[in-house]
Amino acid sequence: PKRDIKMGTSPISTLVPRTRSGEFYPSLLTKYERTLPEDYEFILRNLVLNSKSFSAVKRTIQSLNLPYRPDQLDLIISEIYDEANVFYSRRLSPDWYFVYIDAKCIDLINDNNKLDKAVVFTVVGVTTECKKEIVSLQLFWGNESVDLWRKVLIDLKNRGLTRALMLITDDFSGLTSVIKSLFPTSNHQLCHVHLYRNALRHLSKTEYVDFKLKIEDSCSSPDFETARSLFLELVSTLKPTYPDYAKHLHSRADQYSVFAKFPRDLRPHIRSTNPVEGINNHIEIIQRNSGGLFHSERELFVKLKLMADSLHSRNWKVPTPKIKAHIHDLSRLFFLAFESET
């Protein structure tokens, strides 16, 4: 008789021969089970995530003699793709403590079967329960631009994210004014890791070491005003030799110092886009395992959804301890920013 078993919520049809002795039973199930064991699901999801292509997954399954038919794998992949589309367009909570955003350039086969450039914008949020969550993953063809940044931010607002205590991004040209117009009450922190990378391109090695040390020293500042003053003092020392770079940094002193409004133990976690950088590293590994490119938009979103599921069910299942330790401070700052006037 025909039986359905489940991998997560996905039904998989099997045929079980009817015999008196009951000797025949699907090899992937213990007797009388109706749900696929987690080990099998883990193996299959990792094969899909780390394979060069979906065709390669089918060949691997056959070579390992795993009990899946090709049409079953196609069904599972289609359902994961549908789940991804729902997940990345879901309605969002209006309130977030921190929102990290960064872009990653990838190589992707387009609809004309030609290799093309694309950019993935990843948004990671910290909820008011201090849990990390992938808020959005958006794909655009071409290169990173301020117009694409605006689309990403507007999408967040349209999906319900209206109050973020702080947004953390890199220093992309024109982005500061866009964030100020769309999230006028939110703090905007520019990433210090990107700051160091840019400084390394402008300064000599000796100057760079001194620059980085002084930025790190400012992290122990008692308040925002002190941190901002120390930053401006550092910028003034660069002005005689690097006037254009100094002018650029001077105009962004507020955004590079906002972290100092928060408790000192929390500052290392909120002055860079590291949570998104980690995901970008995962994307780079997935792309490398796929042969240096993604073969389709469908493949990209299936693999990114599997990556997100892994993070949410493992590393990010519980609140981040070092952020949770300051939940009362964050709650107070959130109240002062968004509710004190009402």
Side-chain angles (χ1 to χ4, degrees):
K2 188 175 181 180
R3 303 281 175 85
D4 281 343
I5 60 175
K6 290 187 177 182
M7 190 194 83
T9 59
S10 303
I12 301 175
S13 297
T14 63
L15 294 177
V16 183
R18 186 183 297 279
T19 64
R20 291 173 182 257
S21 61
E23 294 175 355
F24 293 97
Y25 208 78
S27 60
L28 74 166
L29 289 177
T30 57
K31 202 165 186 179
Y32 306 120
E33 276 192 314
R34 292 291 183 270
T35 302
L36 193 67
E38 289 186 5
D39 289 344
Y40 277 98
E41 183 177 348
F42 179 78
I43 291 172
L44 182 59
R45 286 178 175 269
N46 273 278
L47 284 174
V48 174
L49 182 59
N50 298 299
S51 66
K52 185 175 181 179
S53 65
F54 293 152
S55 298
V57 177
K58 295 178 182 179
R59 292 193 295 270
T60 302
I61 286 174
Q62 290 177 347
S63 65
L64 294 175
N65 199 28
L66 293 176
Y68 295 101
R69 296 197 313 269
D71 60 322
Q72 292 173 339
L73 181 62
D74 289 335
L75 175 62
I76 292 169
I77 289 172
S78 295
E79 292 199 354
I80 295 172
Y81 181 59
D82 292 340
E83 289 174 9
N85 288 327
V86 171
F87 181 75
Y88 294 125
S89 60
R90 70 192 186 282
R91 191 70 181 169
L92 299 173
S93 167
D95 300 340
W96 299 77
Y97 284 148
F98 305 111
V99 176
Y100 306 82
I101 314 175
D102 201 7
K104 169 71 175 174
C105 294
I106 62 170
D107 293 320
L108 178 63
I109 299 295
N110 61 27
D111 293 337
N112 297 320
N113 204 33
K114 292 184 178 180
L115 185 62
D116 206 347
K117 293 292 182 183
V119 59
V120 176
F121 282 84
T122 303
V123 183
V124 173
V126 175
T127 70
T128 52
E129 296 176 347
C130 301
K131 287 186 178 181
K132 287 180 183 175
E133 184 177 313
I134 295 182
V135 177
S136 178
L137 277 165
Q138 285 190 266
L139 173 70
F140 300 95
W141 293 102
N143 296 313
E144 182 181 1
S145 69
V146 70
D147 287 336
L148 294 183
W149 273 96
R150 184 181 290 106
K151 288 180 180 179
V152 170
L153 293 166
I154 290 175
D155 175 72
L156 295 178
K157 294 200 73 171
N158 288 341
R159 289 167 55 202
L161 194 161
T162 55
R163 304 197 300 183
L165 188 55
M166 186 160 75
L167 289 89
I168 303 99
T169 72
D170 65 2
D171 184 10
F172 194 82
S173 179
L175 179 56
T176 300
S177 60
V178 172
I179 288 180
K180 188 174 182 179
S181 64
L182 293 172
F183 294 90
T185 315
S186 299
N187 296 292
H188 178 205
Q189 171 70 41
L190 292 177
C191 175
H192 279 199
V193 173
H194 287 84
L195 172 64
Y196 297 149
R197 292 175 188 167
N198 293 332
L200 192 58
R201 291 197 294 266
H202 286 88
L203 310 177
S204 68
K205 289 185 178 179
T206 303
E207 291 169 328
Y208 170 76
V209 171
D210 182 64
F211 178 89
K212 187 175 180 180
L213 285 173
K214 289 180 178 178
I215 292 293
E216 294 294 334
D217 287 342
S218 71
C219 292
S220 59
S221 300
D223 52 42
F224 166 73
E225 292 299 333
T226 305
R228 183 178 183 277
S229 297
L230 290 173
F231 186 85
L232 290 174
E233 287 178 15
L234 174 58
V235 170
S236 67
T237 64
L238 302 176
K239 189 174 182 180
T241 311
Y242 308 99
D244 291 339
Y245 184 51
K247 181 180 179 181
H248 174 87
L249 293 178
H250 188 279
S251 66
R252 290 158 172 76
D254 288 357
Q255 287 73 37
Y256 278 119
S257 307
V258 166
F259 68 90
K261 294 182 178 181
F262 295 83
R264 292 183 185 181
D265 292 344
L266 198 55
R267 294 174 186 179
H269 303 279
I270 60 174
R271 62 188 186 96
S272 74
T273 56
N274 278 351
V276 181
E277 291 283 338
I279 291 176
N280 286 344
N281 290 337
H282 280 297
I283 294 175
E284 183 66 32
I285 292 170
I286 295 169
Q287 179 173 260
R288 188 163 60 244
N289 291 340
S290 300
L293 55 88
F294 290 99
H295 300 85
S296 68
E297 186 175 332
R298 178 171 175 261
E299 178 192 283
L300 170 68
F301 277 102
V302 166
K303 291 186 174 183
L304 294 187
K305 181 60 168 63
L306 291 175
M307 177 196 66
D309 288 346
S310 178
L311 285 171
H312 290 151
S313 64
R314 297 170 184 266
N315 305 51
W316 295 356
K317 188 175 182 179
V318 298
T320 304
K322 291 186 178 179
I323 297 179
K324 181 72 177 291
H326 295 281
I327 190 169
H328 297 298
D329 296 310
L330 293 173
S331 179
R332 177 181 58 83
L333 290 170
F334 193 92
F335 176 83
L336 291 174
F338 298 108
E339 298 178 2
S340 59
E341 294 183 1
T342 59

